[in-house]
Amino acid sequence: MQDLRLNNLLCAMDGDGIATVTLNRAAKRNALNAETIEELVAVFSALPAWGARAMVLRAEGPHFCAGLDLVEHGREDRSPAEFMRICLRWHEAFNKIEYGGVPVIAALRGAVVGGGLELASSVHIRVMDETTYFGLPEGQRGLFTGGGATIRVPRLIGQARMVDMMLTGRLYSGDEAVQVGLAQYRVTDSEAMAYDLARRVAQNTPLSNFAACSAISHMQNMSGLDAAYAEAMVAGIVNTQDAARGRLDSFAQGTAQKIKPGEEG
Ligand code: 1HE
């Protein structure tokens, strides 16, 4: 972790393998400039290899992320080819998160807009608070999404809602945001909940988590027939792992915790 020089992110890991990645550009509402994207690529490439069992993605300041750094973008006066290369780096960063195999839980607050929603939609669990709102203001800015929203956002909320958000600037917040699928949890303290969830998922075997946080995404990209085959292969590996043996034995002996509604975790 010491090897990474980070100007826009903070990165830490506790003794239980719970990593924290913090967007640390609050003065600019955590807008994503090119340097931050490179730092996200570096951090989310390194953390799985350093043994993180779960990660919390949080932000300094009242807003999670204001999306593309519009000031940098205007100043740089990029050519189409240059901005296409920028977008490919966004995809690299967000694919590292979605396909990296380590559960990433985002603690959201305030604005989760434009590229901020693209970032949030690449994590595995989104926790929002009362201040959180989601939007795709690209249409109003004369822009288009370039960080994977066209793939990930329709998966969460459906194409019609995404098109509406882009055309009209519609924002989602409160219960409605959970109901449409932008967040899985809405609580008063999104950070506390994100850490609770991280500690809970870290108790699963790393291989089960790896499969849940990479295989499902890959399978969404496959035909049904190929996905079923890939699922059987992944289950062949995960469901025969040594690390599951003790859990199976304790279930057979009647000592394993039973599943009880209302007492999950
Ligand atoms: C920024 C950015 C930014 C704030 N790029 N600098 N994203 C947007 O269209 C959202 C643009 N931002 C906003 O609408 C508002 O800033 C917020 C609602 C997020 C927050 O409002 P507020 O009142 O708390 O902050 P502020 O006063 O607007 O901004 C504080 C500073 O952050 C200010 O800089 P300062 O030097 O004047 O203090 C702002 O310029 C700066 N700031 N947002 C750069 N986005 C791969 S394609 C993705 C395409 C997109 O993401 S489009 C969506 C862009």
Side-chain angles (χ1 to χ4, degrees):
M1 208 171 303
Q2 305 83 296
D3 307 339
L4 293 179
R5 301 209 192 300
L6 302 171
N7 292 321
N8 308 286
L9 302 179
L10 299 171
C11 184
M13 186 145 68
D14 74 12
D16 298 324
I18 310 292
T20 302
V21 178
T22 301
L23 304 175
N24 190 31
R25 213 176 163 232
K28 300 294 177 188
R29 305 306 182 253
N30 299 311
L32 297 171
N33 57 4
E35 184 179 58
T36 305
I37 294 295
E38 291 308 322
E39 292 181 7
L40 286 168
V41 173
V43 163
F44 282 98
S45 301
L47 278 173
W50 287 333
R53 293 179 66 101
M55 305 183 203
V56 171
L57 175 62
R58 61 175 295 279
E60 284 298 313
H63 297 286
F64 178 72
C65 178
L68 175 70
D69 187 320
L70 297 170
V71 176
E72 178 186 75
H73 184 61
R75 191 182 56 232
E76 293 291 317
D77 196 22
R78 293 158 171 149
S79 70
E82 282 167 348
F83 194 64
M84 187 178 162
R85 276 196 290 276
I86 293 274
C87 290
L88 292 177
R89 298 305 289 165
W90 282 53
H91 295 168
E92 180 75 11
F94 298 171
N95 287 344
K96 291 274 180 231
I97 296 174
E98 180 179 349
Y99 293 89
V102 179
V104 182
I105 299 150
L108 303 176
R109 64 160 75 107
V112 183
V113 297
L117 176 52
E118 297 187 297
L119 169 59
S121 62
S122 70
V123 311
H124 306 102
I125 303 178
R126 281 162 294 281
V127 185
M128 64 183 284
D129 70 7
E130 308 303 328
T131 69
T132 308
Y133 59 93
F134 300 88
L136 291 171
E138 280 84 348
Q140 287 73 52
R141 304 271 184 224
L143 304 172
F144 189 68
T145 57
T150 54
I151 299 125
R152 294 191 177 95
V153 175
R155 273 187 194 161
L156 295 178
I157 64 174
Q159 180 177 340
R161 285 197 185 94
M162 180 186 172
V163 173
D164 177 27
M165 288 173 82
M166 288 198 66
L167 290 178
T168 67
R170 179 173 181 167
L171 301 176
Y172 282 98
S173 61
D175 265 347
E176 194 183 21
V178 176
Q179 279 155 16
V180 299
L182 286 163
Q184 290 102 314
Y185 298 88
R186 174 169 162 251
V187 292
T188 310
D189 186 341
S190 56
E191 278 192 31
M193 176 88 183
Y195 282 104
D196 281 353
L197 293 171
R199 279 187 283 275
R200 192 186 303 173
V201 303
Q203 289 165 24
N204 301 337
T205 67
L207 202 53
S208 296
N209 282 345
F210 182 85
C213 296
S214 67
I216 295 171
S217 289
H218 279 290
M219 286 163 197
Q220 295 296 309
N221 300 328
M222 298 177 191
S223 72
L225 203 59
D226 290 338
Y229 185 73
E231 184 189 62
M233 276 185 72
V234 172
I237 296 165
V238 176
N239 297 8
T240 58
Q241 62 173 321
D242 283 346
R245 175 53 55 198
R247 295 174 191 232
L248 294 172
D249 288 347
S250 73
F251 183 80
Q253 288 152 12
T255 53
Q257 211 181 3
K258 288 192 187 175
I259 298 164
K260 286 195 200 125
E263 291 180 21
E264 310 92 290

